[in-house]
Amino acid sequence: MQFGKVEDPSLINFSLPADAPETKEIWSKPAKNAFEAYVGCAKWNKADLKGFYPKGTKDELTYYATQFNCIELNATFYNLPSSAQVSSWKDKTPDGFKFFPKITNTVSHYRRLIDVKEPVTLFCDAISHFEEKLGMVFLQLHDNFKPKDFDRLKTFVEDFPKVIPLAIEVRNEEWFTHKAVADELYQLFKKHHVSNVLVDTAGRRDMMHMKLSTPVAFIRYVGANHESDYSRLDEWVERITLWKEAGLEKLYFFVHQNVELASPLLSAYFIQKLNKAVGTSLHIPVMATQNPTLF
């Protein structure tokens, strides 16, 4: 994942910002259900995750699902899957596994939320075949999708099927730098139970708004293939521990890298720390190659 990549990560202040005041509103009541945590990568492609798969692995998704309990499914961004394809993916994974598909770029990037009822319906019909293994879908808007088109986003949110959990990632800096805009966006998400995606990447620290609109933390963590990746994950464990104590109900945490081969290793480190800190019992992924090149 190249978004937010910088030449020298050592120059970046990776400290997590304080929680936005709005996040405290989410913790007004204790969580009714047990805390759920899902941690995974963005893809299962063997070429990208070099050193992760044992020699001779024939089906990458089947093996991936023995090591992780979820996948951030970017494949659906580039190609709308058929119902048969979704069912095939579902059948290759064990009970409890969750898929988090990205809404097709026809909706977000090509039509830019204009006249998208048909592609949204096709997307939702297809991914509904994940059935109980559907975690949450997410919409990622283009960097140049700005608040001037807020009405498009508002219509999209209002019309999106309420039976499908939704998260949204806005990227243009104007969504974060103008308070009135940020407040209006937050109120829209909160009203419609849409989760506000957090993106932790080196070159875009403004996207660390720390403003949760639901008791669900949807976090896309982008490592820099740098030694700081580990201390950054340590700080995330500390923050998630506080959120869980306050009332966080679900954690969806997806690990990316500029060079993806280290993603499973970073995920394993994070899962081990998370298990110890909050009492989860997530499986710790095993690297087929025990000492892959990280940096």
Side-chain angles (χ1 to χ4, degrees):
M1 185 175 180
Q2 299 298 305
F3 179 71
K5 183 178 180 180
V6 297
E7 289 298 320
D8 188 355
S10 68
L11 300 178
I12 302 298
N13 177 7
F14 284 110
S15 299
L16 295 183
D19 292 347
E22 293 85 350
T23 296
K24 294 180 173 61
E25 300 174 11
I26 302 301
W27 313 139
S28 59
K29 296 180 181 179
K32 297 179 181 178
N33 303 313
F35 176 70
E36 297 180 7
Y38 291 87
V39 181
C41 300
K43 57 186 73 175
W44 62 72
N45 186 284
K46 187 186 298 184
D48 291 310
L49 304 185
K50 186 178 180 181
F52 174 61
Y53 293 97
K55 185 177 181 180
T57 298
K58 294 183 178 180
D59 191 291
E60 296 160 7
L61 175 56
T62 298
Y63 178 77
Y64 173 95
T66 67
Q67 301 299 305
F68 291 97
N69 67 351
C70 67
I71 182 79
E72 184 199 282
L73 190 56
N74 279 287
T76 56
F77 178 72
Y78 300 102
N79 294 290
L80 179 68
S82 66
S83 298
Q85 178 64 79
V86 170
S87 295
S88 174
W89 287 335
K90 174 181 178 288
D91 292 343
K92 289 181 179 181
T93 60
D95 292 345
F97 190 88
K98 299 286 187 182
F99 292 86
F100 293 79
K102 186 189 292 188
I103 293 175
T104 177
N105 58 14
T106 298
V107 173
S108 58
H109 286 51
Y110 292 107
R111 297 196 183 182
R112 299 175 65 84
L113 305 188
I114 298 174
D115 191 22
V116 294
K117 182 177 180 180
E118 180 182 8
V120 167
T121 298
L122 290 172
F123 175 83
C124 291
D125 286 348
I127 59 95
S128 67
H129 287 264
F130 281 127
E131 297 178 322
E132 77 282 358
K133 293 183 180 179
L134 177 62
M136 176 175 277
V137 306
F138 72 105
L139 175 74
Q140 179 189 87
L141 292 170
H142 196 285
D143 299 15
N144 61 20
F145 188 94
K146 299 183 178 182
K148 66 181 179 63
D149 294 319
F150 179 83
D151 286 346
R152 297 186 199 174
L153 179 56
K154 182 174 183 288
T155 298
F156 174 86
V157 168
E158 291 174 343
D159 292 347
F160 194 81
K162 298 300 184 282
V163 295
I164 298 178
L166 174 66
I168 294 180
E169 174 187 324
V170 294
R171 286 186 162 186
N172 189 273
E173 63 180 10
E174 291 181 15
W175 293 103
F176 312 110
T177 55
H178 300 291
K179 186 178 185 306
V181 167
D183 289 346
E184 189 174 17
L185 182 69
Y186 173 80
Q187 291 302 327
L188 174 69
F189 286 178
K190 185 180 179 184
K191 177 180 178 180
H192 293 278
H193 307 289
V194 173
S195 295
N196 204 1
V197 175
L198 283 163
V199 181
D200 184 351
T201 187
R204 286 297 306 276
R205 304 313 293 167
D206 56 327
M207 295 188 71
M208 294 296 292
H209 50 76
M210 309 308 280
K211 188 182 292 187
L212 301 187
S213 51
T214 69
V216 176
F218 193 121
I219 299 162
R220 306 181 74 223
Y221 172 89
V222 187
N225 297 96
H226 183 265
E227 59 187 9
S228 61
D229 292 346
Y230 289 94
S231 57
R232 290 169 60 192
L233 287 172
D234 289 340
E235 191 170 358
W236 266 117
V237 170
E238 293 175 3
R239 183 64 58 89
I240 291 164
T241 300
L242 294 175
W243 284 352
K244 178 179 179 292
E245 292 172 352
L248 183 68
E249 296 178 10
K250 296 179 181 180
L251 170 68
Y252 304 145
F253 196 99
F254 301 101
V255 177
H256 298 252
Q257 281 283 79
N258 298 145
V259 180
E260 291 287 3
L261 65 88
S263 294
L265 195 62
L266 281 177
S267 300
Y269 176 86
F270 176 77
I271 288 171
Q272 187 174 23
K273 292 283 188 174
L274 186 70
N275 284 346
K276 184 176 181 181
V278 303
T280 47
S281 56
L282 301 181
H283 172 75
I284 300 173
V286 177
M287 295 290 291
T289 302
Q290 293 302 314
N291 294 298
T293 301
L294 281 179
F295 312 119

